């Protein structure tokens, strides 16, 4: 079975994702001192070929994928951008992982962004391990936290460990699997002995012993299948800052998290055991420097063993490209490696030939499905400052939507193009790139529309709908019909009136 574990951390800003990432890498031996994730030394930078490329091109991609090893298991941690704001990038990254760790703040519980990211995981049945962080501080009661996760996310919860006191009286975390307590000072671990009903012999306060007893009676046993189906989440407690419960978390990923999953394609399911190389692009990062139009396309390997120099055919292109300088992401001293296998991520430098959603394969015989476009939550009309630049604008919008920076909608009536994004940040990126790379000055204006839905149905049904709703119809970048709605109410109204059409908030490419 594969020793790869490819995962992401989902959390609300400030819950401790960066701190936890640091500690995971530290324990995996990928970095030597905590704190290096934020401020990696220049010396390290200069040493690696890849970092040089990175400096020359002025882009930063190394933190997008972090690979580390422990006890023979290779962990690929994919970064989900940590902005307050949300982008499709984040969503798409989640299509490239096999599991996720959900970090929640012990005092705050489930916060809005955690919930949103969780919904994306659920759409794809991505299994989730929960890490309740910051138990070294005063938090909510453990039961309250567990119940909130269960209620808010409709998941079965199974506590795998239990904090012994929180805040000022925090004494450590009891690991149920081994009956050992990790204590805050140093790494000392105490064997608790067999716990009896009264918690006798256990160096834990009576009220905590009582809690633990209640918990063990009240919550179900951990069920691997239910977890892997995304129906149950094992919950670990710890403190990223104090490096507490992190080893248990790594251990849980190694033992429970699924190895590379099969992926669906138009030609049927592709298993990770398949011998020839297949993969899909889930992210494209372009250079902000207008002199170089280089991009790095991030490919998630689905099957096969990739070797440097290999020829792969992108589904969108039809002719093979040789991948001479792939980027692999070992966080040790091997940023450029020669092989990669199912579950791994490769960065492929290219000049814009690779698009988000593209499949790459040795034999050009598969096309993966399931990389979604999401219904934009913010729609804006693009107005040119110089109206003679229409052609350049169209080119730019096409390019940037191919890259996944924005979505573009061309209304059936009128010439005012509309861009759609999931987060405000994408709009800022759009405006700055239009100017820097396409020399197009544009402003974004309010759009009469609130949301968009891809519509599907028979030609007759679509035509019937168009006859009455032409002013609310647009085409996306691929020419597919989209209903531009003025409100959520508008969507449900049209849905009711047109049962022969489907209105969908995502579009799978
Ligand atoms: P994020 O990436 O999810 O946004 O969170 P980050 O790791 O940056 O952590 C946010 C804040 O929470 C940081 O404090 C961090 O030190 C603190 N923190 C993380 N894990 C724990 C924990 O287990 N216990 C406690 N008590 N605090 C934790 P900050 O003051 O905002 O930043 P900094 O100046 O310490 O870096």
């Amino acid at each position: 079975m594969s020793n790869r574990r490819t995962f992401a951390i989902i959390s609300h800003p400030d819950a401790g994702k960066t701190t936890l990432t640091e500690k995971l890498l530290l324990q995996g031996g990928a970095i030597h001192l905590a704190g290096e994730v934020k401020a990696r030394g220049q010396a390290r930078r200069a040493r690696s070929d890849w970092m040089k490329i990175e400096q020359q091109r002025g882009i930063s991609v190394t933190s997008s994928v972090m690979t580390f090893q422990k006890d023979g298991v290779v962990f690929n941690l994919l970064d989900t951008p940590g902005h307050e704001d949300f982008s499709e990038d984040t969503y798409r990254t989640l299509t490239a992982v096999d599991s996720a760790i959900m970090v929640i703040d012990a005092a705050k519980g489930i916060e809005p962004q955690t919930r949103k990211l969780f919904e994306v995981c659920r759409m794809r049945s991505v299994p989730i391990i929960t890490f309740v962080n910051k138990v070294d501080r005063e938090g909510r009661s453990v039961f309250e936290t567990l119940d909130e996760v269960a209620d808010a996310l409709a998941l079965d919860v199974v506590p795998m460990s239990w904090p012994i006191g929180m805040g000022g009286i925090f004494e450590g975390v009891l690991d149920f699997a081994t009956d050992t307590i990790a204590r805050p000072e140093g790494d000392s671990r105490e064997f608790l002995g067999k716990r009896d009903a009264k918690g006798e012999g256990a160096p834990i306060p009576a009220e905590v012993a009582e809690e633990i007893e209640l918990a063990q009676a009240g919550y179900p046993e951990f069920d691997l299948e239910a977890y892997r189906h995304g129906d149950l989440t094992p919950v670990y407690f710890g403190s990223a800052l104090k490096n507490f419960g992190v080893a248990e978390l790594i251990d849980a990923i190694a033992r429970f998290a699924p190895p590379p999953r099969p992926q669906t394609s138009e030609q049927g399911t592709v298993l990770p055991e398949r011998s020839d190389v297949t993969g899909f692009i889930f992210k494209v990062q372009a250079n902000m420097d207008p002199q170089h139009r280089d991009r790095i396309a991030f490919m998630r390997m689905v099957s096969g063993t990739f070797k440097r120099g290999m020829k792969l055919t992108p589904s969108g292109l039809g002719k093979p490209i040789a991948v001479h300088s792939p980027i692999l992401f070992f966080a040790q001293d091997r940023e450029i490696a020669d092989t990669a296998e199912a579950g791994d991520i490769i960065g492929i430098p290219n000049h814009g030939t690779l698009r988000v959603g593209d499949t790459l394969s040795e034999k050009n015989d598969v096309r993966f499905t399931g990389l979604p476009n999401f219904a934009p939550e913010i729609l804006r009309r693009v107005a040119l400052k110089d109206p003679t630049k229409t052609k350049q604008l169209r080119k730019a919008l096409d390019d940037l939507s191919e890259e996944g920076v924005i979505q573009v909608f061309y209304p059936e009536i009128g010439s005012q193009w509309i861009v759609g994004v999931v987060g405000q940040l994408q709009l800022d990126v759009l405006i700055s790139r239009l100017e820097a790379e396409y020399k197009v000055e544009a402003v974004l204006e309010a759009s009469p529309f609130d949301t968009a839905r891809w519509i599907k149905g028979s030609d007759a049904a679509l035509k019937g709908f168009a006859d009455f709703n032409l002013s609310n119809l647009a085409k996306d970048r691929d020419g597919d019909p989209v209903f531009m709605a003025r409100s959520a109410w508008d969507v449900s109204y049209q849905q009711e009136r047109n049962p022969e059409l489907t209105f969908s908030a995502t579009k799978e490419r």
Side-chain angles (χ1 to χ4, degrees), residues 3-24:
N3 67 345
R4 290 331 202 238
R5 299 289 181 276
T6 303
F7 68 102
I9 300 178
I10 61 173
S11 63
H12 191 84
D14 255 11
K17 189 179 75 171
T18 311
T19 313
L20 180 64
T21 300
E22 222 167 74
K23 294 299 172 10
L24 289 171

Side-chain angles (χ1 to χ4, degrees), residues 44-165:
R44 260 186 61 77
R45 276 178 181 273
R47 251 187 296 149
S48 97
D49 294 353
W50 162 239
M51 298 270 195
K52 259 184 246 152
I53 301 172
E54 184 177 277
Q55 276 177 338
Q56 281 162 8
R57 298 184 183 167
I59 47 177
S60 161
V61 300
T62 34
S63 64
S64 304
V65 182
M66 289 156 280
T67 298
F68 58 97
Q69 305 187 43
K70 195 171 185 239
D71 303 329
V73 177
V74 175
F75 300 86
N76 294 312
L77 168 54
L78 273 54
D79 187 42
T80 49
H83 307 291
E84 281 286 346
D85 217 344
F86 228 46
S87 74
E88 285 168 69
D89 223 29
T90 313
Y91 285 128
R92 293 211 180 92
T93 297
L94 292 174
T95 64
V97 299
D98 300 306
S99 71
I101 295 180
M102 176 169 74
V103 178
I104 56 185
D105 184 319
K108 295 183 181 156
I110 304 278
E111 296 175 87
Q113 191 148 321
T114 332
R115 187 191 291 266
K116 267 184 157 179
L117 289 162
F118 170 80
E119 291 303 335
V120 181
C121 291
R122 164 159 286 171
M123 247 171 64
R124 303 189 64 242
S125 309
V126 171
I128 291 176
I129 295 176
T130 301
F131 185 74
V132 180
N133 190 30
K134 307 195 188 183
V135 296
D136 57 304
R137 289 211 307 223
E138 210 56 64
R140 300 183 186 178
S141 102
V142 181
F143 289 107
E144 202 181 313
T145 303
L146 289 170
D147 291 348
E148 190 191 357
V149 175
D151 291 345
L153 308 180
L155 276 179
D156 283 337
V157 294
V158 178
M160 306 296 273
S161 64
W162 203 268
I164 302 175

Side-chain angles (χ1 to χ4, degrees), residues 10 32 104 111 127 203 207 245 250 260 262 275 313 343 369 377 391 416 425 447 458 483 498:
I10 61 173
H32 305 292
I104 56 185
E111 296 175 87
E207 67 274 15
I250 295 187
S275 61
T313 305
T369 54
E377 294 180 8
K391 254 172 96 176
Q416 290 206 296
L425 184 78
S447 128
S458 67
F483 172 61
N498 299 278

